Amino acid sequence: MNYQSYNNCAGYISSPELPWSQRKQGSEGEFEPQDEQILEETNSKFQSKFSFEEQPIILISQGLNPSASQNSINDEVQPQMMQIEILSPSKLLRTSKEIKSTCSIDSKPQTTSIQEELIVNSRTRRKTSKANYNVDESPTLDSEIKPCHCSKTNCLQLYCSCFHNRRQCTQECKCCDCYNDGQHTDEVLKAVEQIKIKEQRASHHDLDSFDTRQVWGCKCKKTKCVKGYCECFIRNKKCSSHCHCSDCQNKKQKTYQHKKIKKI
DNA sequence: GAGTTTGAAACT
DNA sequence: CAGTTTCAAACTC
């Protein structure tokens, strides 16, 4: 058991630890050719019109998911997603002033004016499920999303629902040593990149671990897919052929409404 | 609120 | 890729 982490949680002073994702690097940490390609793709996304001298700085902010409408059934307001914006130093200066002016002393960042605008825009959103997954096509207010309680992962792994949904942790979160607080954008980006690299390496398909609107299929063995442990149940979705669950009670009821045969 | 159970995520 | 460990949330008492 890692008492160090618990000590951190309890507020004891201890030496700073590396993020979990960096701590546990085995062979996964080695660089492979496909990694290079992924990094190239990432870098190309981050490449900006700025000159080399004017190194772009990455700002993570919240916004509407631009790709959401492709997958959603209707055209309701889409879930908030974290956006990565490349800023020039000069723009960053302006932006940081704006953020600074709205931040309290508290370590968790306050909502910025942009975020406030988004929240106002999302007032009409449907209520989320009781679970912590801001998933499926049910967009929710940030204030309705349950806060995380991560104690060991610095909120930089998919265990963290905030991180998983590409949202910053909020003041309501009770996480320890949180790196997903908007103050550690480098660490967040590295963590995201590592996860994507791992994804690619193990890829049998083009899944995106950060697209929590997708359901990849549960593997419930004991709970019959009728409790909050089941990702399908949580999302109010029936288990499907993607699932590898046992004794499932969350399957689609077989309907006996045969198609009416048209009499000619 | 503490302890247990659970299944996803991470690791080997 | 299967087995094991770790993790955080759900659940129980």
Side-chain angles (χ1 to χ4, degrees):
Chain A
M1 186 180 286
N2 184 351
Y3 291 101
Q4 178 85 55
S5 300
Y6 286 116
N7 285 346
N8 288 345
C9 294
Y12 291 105
I13 298 169
S14 60
S15 58
E17 288 184 288
L18 282 171
W20 189 265
S21 54
Q22 292 175 32
R23 270 180 263 156
K24 291 198 167 182
Q25 276 191 355
S27 58
E28 292 286 328
E30 291 169 18
F31 212 74
E32 294 183 6
Q34 62 265 37
D35 300 346
E36 198 171 354
Q37 189 190 340
I38 294 162
L39 277 177
E40 271 178 24
E41 286 171 9
T42 308
N43 288 336
S44 68
K45 285 176 190 169
F46 292 161
Q47 270 173 4
S48 70
K49 56 198 169 192
F50 307 117
S51 65
F52 183 76
E53 290 76 23
E54 194 182 13
Q55 289 277 341
I57 295 162
I58 297 158
L59 175 75
I60 295 187
S61 60
Q62 288 183 336
L64 298 178
N65 177 13
S67 63
S69 60
Q70 295 171 6
N71 300 321
S72 64
I73 295 166
N74 52 40
D75 283 325
E76 285 183 59
V77 183
Q78 298 305 324
Q80 289 189 4
M81 300 290 285
M82 205 172 276
Q83 289 183 330
I84 297 169
E85 187 184 356
I86 312 294
L87 298 180
S88 67
S90 53
K91 190 178 175 187
L92 178 82
L93 195 64
R94 275 183 278 128
T95 311
S96 58
K97 276 180 186 171
E98 286 171 17
I99 293 171
K100 210 173 185 178
S101 67
T102 57
C103 282
S104 67
I105 301 169
D106 202 294
S107 61
K108 301 284 186 190
Q110 296 284 329
T111 31
T112 63
S113 55
I114 300 165
Q115 290 168 331
E116 282 168 0
E117 189 182 327
L118 286 165
I119 287 170
V120 169
N121 286 342
S122 63
R123 292 287 181 215
T124 56
R125 287 174 187 174
R126 277 183 284 152
K127 192 161 183 155
T128 185
S129 61
K130 70 165 188 172
N132 201 7
Y133 298 84
N134 179 25
V135 294
D136 69 26
E137 307 90 288
S138 309
T140 55
L141 263 174
D142 270 8
S143 60
E144 290 174 339
I145 296 164
K146 285 179 75 179
C148 73
H149 298 79
C150 306
S151 59
K152 297 184 177 181
T153 57
N154 304 109
C155 299
L156 289 180
Q157 291 195 9
L158 296 178
Y159 294 124
C160 175
S161 58
C162 301
F163 177 76
H164 199 161
N165 286 289
R166 305 294 299 277
R167 286 183 286 101
Q168 285 178 12
C169 291
T170 67
Q171 285 180 307
E172 281 72 38
C173 293
K174 291 180 178 152
C175 37
C176 303
D177 300 328
C178 179
Y179 279 30
N180 189 30
D181 58 356
Q183 312 294 314
H184 298 81
T185 53
D186 282 349
E187 284 82 357
V188 171
L189 286 170
K190 277 180 195 168
V192 169
E193 209 51 52
Q194 277 206 338
I195 287 164
K196 296 207 168 186
I197 285 170
K198 268 189 256 177
E199 246 169 36
Q200 291 272 331
R201 206 176 281 169
S203 65
H204 329 292
H205 41 58
D206 291 331
L207 72 81
D208 177 0
S209 290
F210 292 100
D211 188 353
T212 49
R213 286 166 294 119
Q214 300 176 54
V215 177
W216 300 102
C218 67
K219 297 171 186 170
C220 305
K221 290 174 183 172
K222 298 183 179 180
T223 56
K224 302 178 181 179
C225 306
V226 291
K227 290 197 174 181
Y229 301 117
C230 175
E231 69 167 286
C232 305
F233 181 79
I234 286 167
R235 297 166 198 201
N236 271 328
K237 297 200 169 169
K238 297 292 180 188
C239 290
S240 67
S241 57
H242 295 107
C243 301
H244 294 88
C245 42
S246 309
D247 196 15
C248 180
Q249 292 183 6
N250 188 35
K251 282 185 175 151
K252 273 185 183 170
Q253 297 283 339
K254 281 186 180 176
T255 56
Y256 294 95
Q257 294 175 344
H258 296 295
K259 285 181 182 176
K260 288 179 183 176
I261 301 167
K262 286 182 182 176
K263 290 179 182 177
I264 301 171

